Amino acid sequence: MPKWLDNAVFYEIYPQSFCDSNGDGIGDIQGIISKLSYIKDLGCNALWINPIYDSPFMDAGYDVRNHKKVAERYGTLDDVKELLSTAHDMGIKVLFDLVPGHTSDTNEWFLQAKKAEKNEFSDTYIFTKSVWDAPPQYRLMCGICERDGNYLINYFSSQPALNYGFYDVTHPAWQMSCDDERCQKTVELIKDIMRYWMDLGVDGFRVDMADSLVKNDDDKIATSKIWAGIREMMDKDYPQCALVSEWCNPQRSINDGGFHMDFYLDHYGNGYSTLFRYLVDDENKSFFSDAAQGDLSVFLDEYMTNYPVTKDNGYICFMTNNHDMPRATFYMSNEMIKLSHTFMMTMPGVPFVYYGDEIGMRYQTDLVSKEGGFSRTGSRTPMQWDSSKNLGFSSADEDKLYLPVDKSKDAPTVENNVGKDGSIYENLKTLIALRHDNDDLRNGSEFKLLSAEKGDNLFAYNRGEFTVVFNVTKDEKKFKTDRNDVVFSLGEYEFDGEYIVLKGRNAVILK
């Protein structure tokens, strides 16, 4: 396990929307370099950067055309080297995105695989036996290539699935076993890509759709075996590099697959959803909602099942948001966002902050889809730095911007958040510093539940010498405790004998 993960707080950057250094309206690597000091000052000491590889951008770069080439709009390989060197000099680790399940349909591997004549890439993707062979249970593209066969896609039509084989072979005429040496060659291709970037200094990868490799693998047995083999390679040759999975099943991803970290994803009705963004008839009924109607049991049932059996092998990660979800401001007031950040920064694991969440950037609902974003587009708008042109994102004319900036008169910016008492930024910065300074608030002590009564909406837990207490309602609540040193508070409180009395919408950290 890379030791640096214990004290890591990640900052996710959507590169095309973070900072434009050359005035073309699109964020770039030099823009990221120029803002590293800002990220460090917030307290984040690790980055997750969404794909910067060469791509036709049908899915915002998650359709990779060349895994070892930097997309021209972001810069050059020399820019990447400068980013890594500068970040490392500042004590900041850098994870790239890895997209192992599919490529772009313009990728050279796939252009070769489409050919009728057999070649070294013919088995790198999954083709049926003939163009007339199109089983309805599979997502297939039919009749659009020279080769006599249809090919599987993972998501968009431009994303042909790479061939890791099938755990349960149901159509032996064209499906290969996951143990077939031809499928193992695909694993080696992914390892080669990983080695290339880690040799350049990348500190690991966030893995897109990590559970999507082997088909007909409902229990992810074969898929986990592939990742366990990759982890073995990393432990041997790159022991300080890290892997975080987009999986949301820590027992499979961490214990079986060998990932160092697993994201808690927003799947409707799961623990993350019911904590933060559980919409019922367009009303947010999650725990950290303004209505304060949420039930903690869904989250706790999941978490207390997974945490005890994975905590010695890896980290369950909480994220403020990411590029695939509406921003938190769509669901919660700034008050509740600050409460949610208090929770995320005091839980075990490794927290992730999505760019702009530290200033309360809004989810823009009226945007036309950009590069396959669709409903996600409104969470991918330019970072809002200051009150200058385009809120400091770019010097380009407005019509040249990758996406429009927030045009509201009260649009949140770094400029109007930094140094402002009670701002989301200052609250989060304080919490990150508290986490960095205290091992018990990282992973040095276990999570011990103290209070989570249904209908009471008082939530409390211990982290070693610290007790964290939440009152998400508007009403006054009291909690019995023998700890009276308040090291953090979001609002008013008082002590009454053996109790601490919390005013509404408050959280305290006691020592």
Side-chain angles (χ1 to χ4, degrees), residues 79-99:
D79 291 323
V80 169
K81 292 176 181 178
E82 182 182 348
L83 167 64
L84 295 171
S85 174
T86 306
H88 290 160
D89 285 347
M90 298 173 69
I92 298 173
K93 303 291 186 179
V94 182
L95 298 194
F96 276 9
D97 236 313
L98 181 69
V99 190

Side-chain angles (χ1 to χ4, degrees), residues 167-454:
Y167 185 70
D168 180 19
V169 176
T170 57
H171 295 73
W174 55 272
Q175 294 178 357
M176 301 175 194
S177 166
C178 52
D179 295 323
D180 192 296
E181 65 178 14
R182 292 169 292 181
C183 301
Q184 296 304 310
K185 287 182 180 180
T186 307
V187 178
E188 294 305 315
L189 285 173
I190 297 303
K191 286 183 178 178
D192 178 67
I193 293 164
M194 296 173 71
R195 288 189 186 100
Y196 174 80
W197 290 108
M198 288 188 290
D199 285 343
L200 282 171
V202 172
D203 298 293
F205 301 90
R206 173 268 188 184
V207 180
D208 181 66
M209 295 175 64
D211 65 340
S212 70
L213 304 189
V214 178
K215 307 305 180 187
N216 293 354
D217 185 21
D218 293 344
D219 293 328
K220 309 301 178 184
I221 294 170
T223 297
S224 296
K225 183 179 178 181
I226 289 172
W227 289 117
I230 289 174
R231 170 65 186 273
E232 185 178 349
M233 176 267 288
M234 292 179 67
D235 284 349
K236 178 178 179 291
D237 298 329
Y238 307 93
Q240 290 305 307
C241 289
L243 276 179
V244 56
S245 60
E246 184 188 31
W247 196 316
C248 199
N249 190 321
Q251 293 194 49
R252 286 179 176 171
S253 61
I254 294 173
N255 289 357
D256 299 339
F259 280 89
H260 300 96
M261 302 171 276
D262 184 49
F263 279 124
Y264 217 133
L265 299 173
D266 179 31
H267 295 159
Y268 185 73
N270 77 344
Y272 189 96
S273 169
T274 54
L275 275 176
F276 308 117
R277 45 182 70 214
Y278 186 52
L279 295 186
V280 180
D281 297 326
D282 295 325
E283 182 181 2
N284 188 2
K285 294 191 175 182
S286 65
F287 183 76
F288 288 104
S289 68
D290 293 319
Q293 301 179 51
D295 176 7
L296 275 168
S297 64
V298 176
F299 164 70
L300 290 172
D301 286 349
E302 286 182 357
Y303 189 75
M304 296 310 292
T305 298
N306 289 312
Y307 170 68
V309 297
T310 60
K311 63 182 178 63
D312 294 331
N313 299 322
Y315 302 117
I316 298 174
C317 299
F318 290 91
M319 54 187 173
T320 62
N321 206 75
N322 73 10
H323 61 287
D324 283 334
M325 306 186 297
R327 285 190 183 271
T329 47
F330 183 68
Y331 299 91
M332 294 182 278
S333 66
N334 286 0
E335 275 186 306
M336 301 310 291
I337 288 173
K338 287 189 283 185
L339 283 167
S340 73
H341 288 176
T342 306
F343 167 79
M344 293 179 194
M345 295 300 150
T346 56
M347 286 293 287
V350 180
F352 282 70
V353 178
Y354 184 51
Y355 84 96
D357 281 359
E358 73 275 20
I359 58 171
M361 276 180 59
R362 297 169 181 139
Y363 174 64
Q364 298 192 42
T365 59
D366 56 349
L367 300 180
V368 175
S369 177
K370 179 77 170 185
E371 296 184 350
F374 298 100
S375 62
R376 306 170 296 180
T377 302
S379 293
R380 301 175 175 187
T381 54
M383 179 63 178
Q384 297 160 196
W385 295 101
D386 55 44
S387 57
S388 64
K389 182 179 180 180
N390 298 319
L391 300 186
F393 165 68
S394 172
S395 62
D397 292 338
E398 185 177 315
D399 62 348
K400 299 294 185 184
L401 297 183
Y402 176 76
L403 283 169
V405 298
D406 186 346
K407 296 181 175 62
S408 305
K409 289 184 179 179
D410 62 346
T413 65
V414 171
E415 183 180 59
N416 62 30
N417 263 260
V418 171
K420 180 181 178 182
D421 288 344
S423 68
I424 292 176
Y425 174 91
E426 292 297 341
N427 176 70
L428 182 58
K429 182 176 179 178
T430 298
L431 286 164
I432 292 174
L434 194 62
R435 183 181 180 91
H436 283 319
D437 291 343
N438 294 278
D439 183 53
D440 277 348
L441 291 178
R442 302 193 301 271
N443 296 290
S445 64
E446 295 190 12
F447 172 85
K448 181 182 178 182
L449 181 65
L450 299 178
S451 176
E453 294 298 324
K454 186 173 182 179

Side-chain angles (χ1 to χ4, degrees), residues 290 292 471-476 503-505:
D290 293 319
N471 173 17
V472 298
T473 73
K474 293 180 180 179
D475 303 320
E476 190 176 272
K503 306 301 183 182
R505 302 285 171 83

